[in-house]
Structures are given as structure tokens and as C-alpha cells.
């Protein structure tokens, strides 16, 4: 098995002859919190879309724990162990907080129940439903959302909606969790709560995290390593201090 949870080799994609991302070589070790940063339009979310199967790479490939995932569907990549959140929160707004997390649990074999068992309301259906509810509550407690379990997702304040989306992704039991601008739109207190939550996820679940974020203070305070993209190419990588002090990175963010 590979020593890396995620490894990409010369990963890239072109749209109509225009290279959106090229030659991205990521190596993320188990338990790391890894940051992917860069100015707007640098190609960060495109990298996420390549890793999660939204786009198929036109060059290069990628591996999860040494297993190549190139060409797999989004569903199969998720089942392999990669989960993500989005820049724009995507919750089931008219479902309760608990039900949103239970949607993520459906991905796991221990909570499988056949359509026939559910339609006929057989004992397996009720047993599975009870187990899922209990597991959902365990996850909600980690995020401090247990009191809102019966609240509709659309009625949560913004910071808690962000937490719920991460909780739902965690419910799929991923090996690698991708967070796309998790602190976007948060006030300082919400951002600090998020930082503590992300660190707790690593400590409690030994989970590996790749995140995109524009808040450089947040990134430098939480990430073990970072990669910086600009115009779809890698301009620096290393520790936060090394990368953020790189002249090319400074130039990309603030100009000459």
C-alpha cells in the first residue's frame, strides 16, 4: 500500500485546448491537514473536481492509498473513501439536521436495507433506522449540533450549516475529506470554532484532510503543508512558512 493517502501524478485538464490545471503532483500522508491555496481562478476547485470525479483528467492520474481512481464515477470515488464539501453549501434544506447526516450514512454497508424490507416495514427496516439515528446523533454531538437535530437545515445559522455539511460528509466514513472554502463567510468566532472542529476530526478519527481556503491566517494556523496554485500551475509547496514566504506566492497575491 502507498505511504500516501492521496497521490496525484501530473494531474491536469484542458477545456477546448485551454489548460485549466496542469502538472499537479500532490502527496498527502495519513493524518495530515493539507492546504490548497491560490488567488481566485487559480484552479483549486478544478483540482477538487478532478479528484472527486466531477471532471475526468485529460492528463495524469491519481491514487487513494495506492489504488488508482482515474475514470471512476463520483459515486464510486465516494465509496472508495473520498468525501467533500462545496464552496456553496449543498444541504437538503427541507430535511432535518439529523436526516441530512443520515443521508451520508446510507453510503455505509452496515446501514444497508433493501427496498422490499423498507416498503413492507419489516423488522430489519426499523433496526437499521434506529442504528442510523443513533449514529447520526453521535456525529452531531461532535459538531455541537445535537440540540438542533429536529431543526430544518434551512433554519440553521450560516456557521452551523457549514458544520452540518462537514458532518454529512464525515458520515460516509471517508479516508480523505476535501473541504472547499470551509471558513468562507464566517465571522471570527465561527472561524475559530471551525478550526477546533477540523483539528478534532484529525485527532478523533485520524482522518486526512485537504482544504481550499482564502483565509491565510486560518491556513497557516492549521495546515501541516500547503500547495499554492496560480493560473492552474503549482508555484510553491511545503510548510506554510516556506510557501507563504516564497517570492512567487507573494507576487501572485499582491503583485510586484
Amino acid at each position: 500500500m502507498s505511504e500516501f493517502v492521496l497521490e496525484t501524478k501530473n494531474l491536469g485538464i484542458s477545456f477546448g485546448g485551454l489548460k485549466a490545471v496542469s502538472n499537479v503532483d500532490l502527496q498527502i500522508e495519513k493524518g495530515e491537514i493539507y492546504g490548497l491555496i491560490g488567488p481566485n481562478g487559480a484552479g483549486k476547485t478544478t483540482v477538487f473536481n478532478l479528484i472527486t470525479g466531477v471532471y475526468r483528467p485529460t492528463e495524469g492520474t491519481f491514487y487513494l492509498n495506492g489504488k488508482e481512481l482515474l475514470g471512476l464515477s463520483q459515486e464510486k470515488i465516494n465509496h472508495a473513501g473520498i468525501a467533500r464539501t462545496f464552496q456553496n453549501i449543498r444541504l437538503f434544506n427541507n430535511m432535518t439536521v439529523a436526516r441530512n447526516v443520515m443521508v451520508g450514512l446510507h453510503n455505509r454497508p452496515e446501514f444497508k436495507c433493501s427496498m422490499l424490507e423498507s416498503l413492507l416495514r419489516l423488522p430489519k427496516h426499523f433496526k437499521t433506522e434506529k442504528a442510523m439515528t443513533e449514529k447520526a446523533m453521535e456525529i452531531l454531538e461532535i459538531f455541537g449540533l445535537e440540540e438542533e437535530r429536529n431543526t430544518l437545515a434551512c433554519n440553521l445559522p450560516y456557521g452551523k450549516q457549514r458544520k452540518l455539511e462537514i458532518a454529512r460528509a464525515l458520515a460516509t466514513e471517508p479516508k480523505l475529506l476535501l473541504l472547499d472554502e470551509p471558513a468562507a463567510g464566517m465571522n471570527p468566532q465561527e472561524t475559530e470554532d471551525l478550526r477546533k472542529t477540523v483539528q478534532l476530526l484529525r485527532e478523533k478519527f485520524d482522518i486526512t484532510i485537504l482544504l481550499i481556503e482564502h483565509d491565510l491566517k486560518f491556513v497557516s494556523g492549521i495546515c501541516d503543508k500547503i500547495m499554492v496554485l496560480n493560473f492552474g500551475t503549482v508555484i510553491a509547496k511545503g510548510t506554510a512558512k516556506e510557501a507563504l514566504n516564497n517570492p512567487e506566492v507573494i507576487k501572485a497575491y499582491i503583485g510586484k
Side-chain angles (χ1 to χ4, degrees), residues 56-76:
R56 182 180 176 125
T58 53
E59 58 185 62
T61 189
F62 63 104
Y63 305 83
L64 183 70
N65 288 326
K67 179 183 177 183
E68 188 172 24
L69 301 184
L70 182 68
L72 296 186
S73 67
Q74 294 180 60
E75 182 181 8
K76 287 183 177 179

Side-chain angles (χ1 to χ4, degrees), residues 104-115:
L105 293 173
H106 279 289
N107 188 57
R108 293 162 59 167
E110 64 264 40
F111 298 118
K112 292 294 182 186
C113 188
S114 73
M115 185 176 292

Side-chain angles (χ1 to χ4, degrees), residues 51-211:
I51 294 169
T52 55
V54 176
Y55 300 148
R56 182 180 176 125
T58 53
E59 58 185 62
T61 189
F62 63 104
Y63 305 83
L64 183 70
N65 288 326
K67 179 183 177 183
E68 188 172 24
L69 301 184
L70 182 68
L72 296 186
S73 67
Q74 294 180 60
E75 182 181 8
K76 287 183 177 179
I77 288 173
N78 180 245
H79 280 289
I82 298 179
R84 73 175 292 181
T85 64
F86 296 86
Q87 284 181 4
N88 301 313
I89 298 172
R90 299 185 186 182
L91 294 171
F92 296 100
N93 285 323
N94 293 318
M95 291 172 65
T96 65
V97 166
R99 283 287 172 187
N100 266 273
V101 175
M102 289 168 73
V103 168
L105 293 173
H106 279 289
N107 188 57
R108 293 162 59 167
E110 64 264 40
F111 298 118
K112 292 294 182 186
C113 188
S114 73
M115 185 176 292
L116 183 62
E117 288 168 326
S118 294
L119 285 173
L120 296 179
R121 316 291 278 181
L122 296 179
K124 175 74 180 295
H125 165 79
F126 293 104
K127 184 179 179 181
T128 302
E129 186 82 0
K130 182 175 183 291
M132 289 179 70
T133 301
E134 290 173 352
K135 188 62 181 178
M137 285 305 300
E138 283 181 28
I139 294 171
L140 289 174
E141 285 175 14
I142 294 167
F143 291 86
L145 294 172
E146 66 274 17
E147 295 299 321
E148 286 91 351
R149 60 187 178 277
N150 295 320
T151 303
L152 292 181
C154 61
N155 291 332
L156 287 178
Y158 182 83
K160 290 188 175 182
Q161 287 188 4
R162 280 281 179 196
K163 283 187 175 183
L164 178 58
E165 191 179 32
I166 298 172
R168 186 181 60 189
L170 182 66
T172 67
E173 210 170 33
K175 300 177 180 72
L176 176 69
L177 179 60
L178 308 184
L179 304 178
D180 196 345
E181 297 191 30
M186 288 188 172
N187 62 42
Q189 184 57 55
E190 289 171 334
T191 301
E192 176 60 16
D193 287 345
L194 175 68
R195 183 189 66 77
K196 291 177 181 176
T197 299
V198 172
Q199 289 182 325
L200 178 65
L201 292 182
R202 179 185 25 201
E203 293 162 8
K204 187 175 178 66
F205 297 96
D206 196 23
I207 197 168
T208 305
I209 297 169
L210 173 62
L211 64 88

